[in-house]
Amino acid sequence: MKIGILTSGGDCPGINATIRGVCKSAMNHYGMEVYGIHNGFRGLMDGHINRLTEDSITGLLTLGGTILGTSREKPFKKTSAPDGNSKSSQILKTIKDYGLDCLVCIGGNGTQKTAAKLMEAGVNVVSIPKTIDNDVWGTDISFGFDSAVSIAADAIDRLHSTASSHQRVMVIEVMGHKAGWLALYSGMAGGGDIILMPEIPFDIRNIGDTIIERLKKGKPYSIVVVAEGINTPDGKKAAQYIAEEIEYETGFETRETVLGYIQRGGSPTAYDRNLATLMGGHAVELISNGEYGRMVALQGNKISSIPLIETAGKLRLVTEDHELVVQGRRMGICFG
Ligand code: F6P
């Protein structure tokens, strides 16, 4: 049996550990052949594919990024470009030419959508959720998230000293696309005083009041954690907008930091390595059972899977009743 494997969308810690999990169990346990497809779905268009061997997957457990390369290619996206519809037919041709029996697609929301389209086109597909944003619907956690939370929490820890030494407000912007998971988890772990997420509307006066209240309690400094996806006027960058508004509202000296791609880089945490390994192994188990059209998922403490069609096009967002929000509010943290 021949499996094709690809990684698509933004890179994140744990992708290589997943590739390793898929390859090792497919080759060692099931006697399958694995083919690496390069640069996401683009590799299926230009035929950039090679057989993976024990040698080519050595040292992957701790390695950041993806050895297969990635892209944000969306071959099924409707386009008026002349080559628009030919992309999907080229993909089907490549799969046939290489004699691939099925595909393992590792990626975030966009990838789940494309994988579902491939399934509808008759391809045997199994997908694995990967994103630092943790916004793939149907899985409690995507690998990459824990590593990004650790990096962001460490960055927030380091801002505390400048905040207290200079008696400033420090605003830190973290990623997350349209979801606030990364801001919520890193903000809580890093002891943020104000945490702003796209899912919870904010009022700048409440934020100002929180900062003034802290001053009255003898804390003339605050840490504000802002998700990149919060609503700002005229598309202004989240941290810049919030920092300007805080300075205007409170008169406090305010500084902003945008953490950026550092959140996506480097070695996965031990948690992500194990999650990635388990998810990779489960994908191969699904293939060996002929259970296609499914996305591997973590539900509670159990690795299972859901139909791809259920997750495609949906987002997993923070809700006001999430236990970290409820507990944070009880502790006096301002969420907007
Ligand atoms: O989806 C992951 C993510 O890191 C988002 O949080 C961020 O908005 C986006 O990717 C930016 O990535 P790129 O610049 O690679 O498109």
Side-chain angles (χ1 to χ4, degrees):
M1 184 156 201
K2 289 183 178 179
I3 302 179
I5 182 168
L6 63 82
T7 60
S8 175
D11 72 325
C12 79
I15 300 182
N16 285 325
T18 314
I19 296 171
R20 174 180 177 267
V22 169
C23 288
K24 287 209 172 214
S25 60
M27 294 173 193
N28 294 344
H29 188 69
Y30 295 100
M32 299 169 178
E33 290 178 11
V34 186
Y35 289 77
I37 299 158
H38 293 258
N39 306 322
F41 293 100
R42 201 178 293 158
L44 282 173
M45 282 148 50
D46 58 20
H48 190 173
I49 297 171
N50 67 294
R51 174 127 182 232
L52 298 177
T53 61
E54 279 289 343
D55 279 352
S56 51
I57 56 160
T58 297
L60 293 193
L61 185 58
T62 58
L63 194 65
T66 161
I67 55 154
L68 293 175
T70 185
S71 68
R72 294 200 185 269
E73 181 67 55
K74 295 184 175 77
F76 290 92
K77 197 171 177 189
K78 286 202 174 58
T79 162
S80 52
D83 67 339
N85 295 330
S86 65
K87 287 183 177 180
S88 44
S89 35
Q90 180 57 47
I91 282 181
L92 298 178
K93 183 175 176 311
T94 306
I95 292 171
K96 200 161 170 256
D97 289 351
Y98 276 82
L100 299 176
D101 297 298
C102 63
L103 289 184
V104 176
C105 302
I106 303 170
N109 282 310
T111 307
Q112 307 309 327
K113 253 191 192 174
T114 304
K117 293 265 185 219
L118 277 172
M119 179 194 78
E120 281 163 11
V123 179
N124 294 330
V125 190
V126 165
S127 71
I128 305 177
K130 153 252 60 148
T131 169
I132 64 162
D133 302 337
N134 209 34
D135 60 351
V136 175
W137 193 91
T139 183
D140 292 345
I141 314 241
S142 300
F143 70 79
F145 177 61
D146 185 67
S147 305
V149 168
S150 294
I151 298 165
D154 180 60
I156 298 166
D157 288 349
R158 287 166 195 276
L159 290 177
H160 278 280
S161 45
T162 300
S164 61
S165 304
H166 286 261
Q167 310 197 340
R168 283 177 181 159
V169 176
M170 301 298 283
V171 178
I172 176 165
E173 179 181 311
V174 297
M175 283 184 167
H177 200 223
K178 292 179 179 158
W181 295 109
L182 201 42
L184 177 62
Y185 273 69
S186 64
M188 290 297 284
D193 306 300
I194 294 155
I195 301 173
L196 304 179
M197 298 173 273
E199 296 91 336
I200 302 181
F202 62 87
D203 180 337
I204 207 73
R205 281 165 303 185
N206 287 342
I207 298 170
D209 289 349
T210 307
I211 292 166
I212 302 292
E213 276 308 307
R214 282 179 51 78
L215 171 69
K216 287 183 189 157
K217 287 182 191 159
K219 291 175 181 172
Y221 55 88
S222 292
I223 301 283
V224 185
V225 182
V226 186
E228 64 175 353
I230 60 160
N231 200 11
T232 59
D234 308 324
K236 266 199 174 175
K237 289 281 182 197
Q240 188 200 348
Y241 171 71
I242 293 296
E244 283 170 5
E245 290 292 307
I246 287 175
E247 213 161 57
Y248 180 77
E249 189 72 21
T250 65
F252 259 89
E253 194 175 35
T254 306
R255 292 283 191 274
E256 81 229 30
T257 300
V258 179
L259 200 51
Y261 294 93
I262 288 165
Q263 289 158 98
R264 271 172 32 185
S267 190
T269 56
Y271 178 87
D272 272 342
R273 290 177 202 179
N274 287 336
L275 181 59
T277 300
L278 288 171
M279 285 187 159
H282 195 80
V284 184
E285 206 176 313
L286 288 174
I287 292 168
S288 78
N289 293 335
E291 293 182 64
Y292 297 115
R294 300 186 74 78
M295 182 189 81
V296 178
L298 180 73
Q299 294 177 331
N301 282 327
K302 219 181 141 18
I303 303 283
S304 57
S305 67
I306 59 166
L308 254 175
I309 213 74
E310 268 180 30
T311 176
K314 288 188 205 155
L315 269 186
R316 179 175 175 274
L317 296 173
V318 175
T319 53
E320 298 238 12
D321 63 354
H322 187 280
E323 55 192 355
L324 268 182
V325 177
V326 172
Q327 175 62 11
R329 283 208 165 109
R330 287 179 187 159
M331 292 162 61
I333 293 165
C334 169
F335 287 97

